[in-house]
Amino acid sequence: MTAVVLDGKEIAREIEEELRRRINDLSKNGVTPCLAVVIVGDDPASHVYVGAKERACARLGIRSVRVDVAYNADYEEVVSTVKSLNEDPEINGVLVQSPLPSGMDEISITDLIDPIKDVDGFHAQNLGRLVQGDASGLLPCTPAGVMRMLERAKLDLSGKRAVVIGRSRIVGMPLSILLAQRGVDATVTIAHSRTAGMADLCRDADLIVAAVGSPNMITAEWVKPGATVIDVGINRVTDNSEKGYYLTGDVHPDALDIAGALSPVPGGVGPMTIAMLMSNTVRATEMQH
Ligand code: NDP
């Protein structure tokens, strides 16, 4: 069997088409959505990610504002930056790019963002709503992107076994909740670095989501024939190419011969994450007007 490739780029394009219509409706009322991204310090990967977000905004006609804060700025400076963006009526979405310099607490800074402008969906209020069973608010972008990808593949997950490998605040944990919510109804196992018998757990699963950050960790032997495999991992592996590295996921390419459907890296969950950030920015703007 060769798996159906779940093309994140294509689904992201469809989402962008739908967003263009909504942005057009907003502009008829004189409103242009605006996303503010705060970067603290000079992490090169952060600049790459923020560049991709800015290009997506430009494609859609969303205004983007980038606020650079020096790596040695104190906590109070970041706090006042976020507060002034909260108060600015021209700004509809605010995110603080991760990672922050060591010693700066990401969770407390995230919780300063006005929940109605929290386009990353990481504020305690937005995550809390999700735990209460309400998935209608601003959802974390990568988990929401995975759910859109599964919906688009028309997979019926009701009563199916899902294993989510990774329990982070931004990917694994919220995604597990979304998969287990009423209406989706998967039976979810959350696996992590202390999980025993991972291969057996995976072999039993109808859906495997890998969100670890470990290249090629999920091998073909772990995959039940016909299972769906979503690869969230993005790993830079050094090589002799001009770039000096290539990108790969957490899933070994051989899994393509066993799985029923599989999301590639690159071109799978990555573009979905950006599309969902754009979607949250439009949603936040609609809620504010
Ligand atoms: P974290 O480092 O926050 O979490 C990784 C998780 O993997 C942890 O829960 C950890 O367990 C678990 N883990 C680590 N080693 C193992 C192991 N050997 N077996 C089982 N579980 C293990 O990472 P993120 O959630 O932020 O990101 C995960 C991956 O997804 C990364 O590659 C990241 O780059 C990528 N990513 C991709 C995005 C996209 O748009 N495609 C967006 C965000 C992230 P424990 O909790 O016990 O430490």
Side-chain angles (χ1 to χ4, degrees):
M1 178 187 288
T2 300
V4 172
V5 173
L6 301 171
D7 185 346
K9 275 194 195 159
E10 177 58 28
I11 308 169
R13 264 194 292 272
E14 290 169 12
I15 294 169
E16 287 194 359
E17 272 316 300
E18 173 206 317
L19 291 177
R20 273 197 189 90
R21 280 193 288 279
R22 286 162 60 190
I23 291 166
N24 198 28
D25 286 346
L26 284 163
S27 77
K28 284 180 193 151
N29 295 315
V31 176
T32 304
C34 181
L35 171 67
V37 179
V38 180
I39 310 189
V40 187
D42 294 323
D43 179 57
S46 291
H47 285 269
V48 173
Y49 292 136
V50 170
K53 291 169 188 177
E54 286 171 335
R55 285 195 297 281
C57 285
R59 274 199 303 279
L60 291 173
I62 293 175
R63 271 203 319 126
S64 65
V65 173
R66 173 173 157 166
V67 185
D68 283 285
V69 180
Y71 79 97
N72 56 355
D74 60 14
Y75 180 77
E76 288 312 318
E77 191 174 337
V78 182
V79 170
S80 70
T81 302
V82 171
K83 284 189 174 164
S84 72
L85 294 168
N86 281 344
E87 283 158 16
D88 185 340
E90 295 293 314
I91 303 281
N92 307 109
V94 178
L95 72 85
V96 180
Q97 183 64 40
S98 176
L100 290 175
S102 62
M104 228 178 249
D105 180 34
E106 287 197 16
I107 294 183
S108 63
I109 288 181
T110 300
D111 281 348
L112 291 170
I113 298 172
D114 184 340
I116 206 170
K117 296 189 176 185
D118 168 39
V119 286
D120 260 343
F122 298 152
H123 189 285
Q125 184 172 309
N126 287 320
L127 285 176
R129 288 242 165 83
L130 190 56
V131 177
Q132 287 173 335
D134 177 2
S136 66
L138 296 172
L139 297 177
C141 300
T142 302
V146 171
M147 295 307 290
R148 279 292 280 264
M149 198 174 228
L150 294 170
E151 269 166 38
R152 175 64 162 52
K154 295 193 167 42
L155 282 177
D156 179 8
L157 292 171
S158 180
K160 301 281 167 51
R161 289 177 204 217
V163 172
V164 177
I165 315 175
R167 57 178 164 183
S168 72
R169 177 179 62 92
I170 64 168
V171 188
M173 197 54 84
L175 179 58
S176 304
I177 295 167
L178 284 167
L179 287 167
Q181 72 184 307
R182 280 183 199 282
V184 181
D185 299 318
T187 303
V188 182
T189 301
I190 306 171
H192 45 76
S193 64
R194 302 295 176 93
T195 299
M198 185 81 81
D200 286 337
L201 275 178
C202 287
R203 265 193 292 271
D204 226 16
D206 304 293
L207 168 67
I208 300 172
V209 182
V212 179
S214 176
N216 300 335
M217 173 180 149
I218 288 83
T219 60
E221 294 74 44
W222 290 24
V223 178
K224 179 166 89 171
T228 300
V229 181
I230 304 290
D231 193 351
V232 180
I234 301 178
N235 306 293
R236 269 183 190 216
V237 179
T238 315
D239 68 2
N240 293 324
S241 67
E242 205 176 308
K243 256 192 194 169
Y245 69 89
Y246 68 95
L247 291 182
T248 190
D250 291 344
V251 178
H252 194 284
D254 287 355
L256 203 61
D257 299 331
I258 307 292
L262 190 143
S263 73
V265 177
V269 176
M272 295 300 296
T273 298
I274 300 222
M276 297 321 287
L277 174 65
M278 297 301 110
S279 176
N280 275 351
T281 304
V282 173
R283 183 83 205 290
T285 311
E286 289 166 344
M287 290 192 292
Q288 287 158 42
H289 291 272

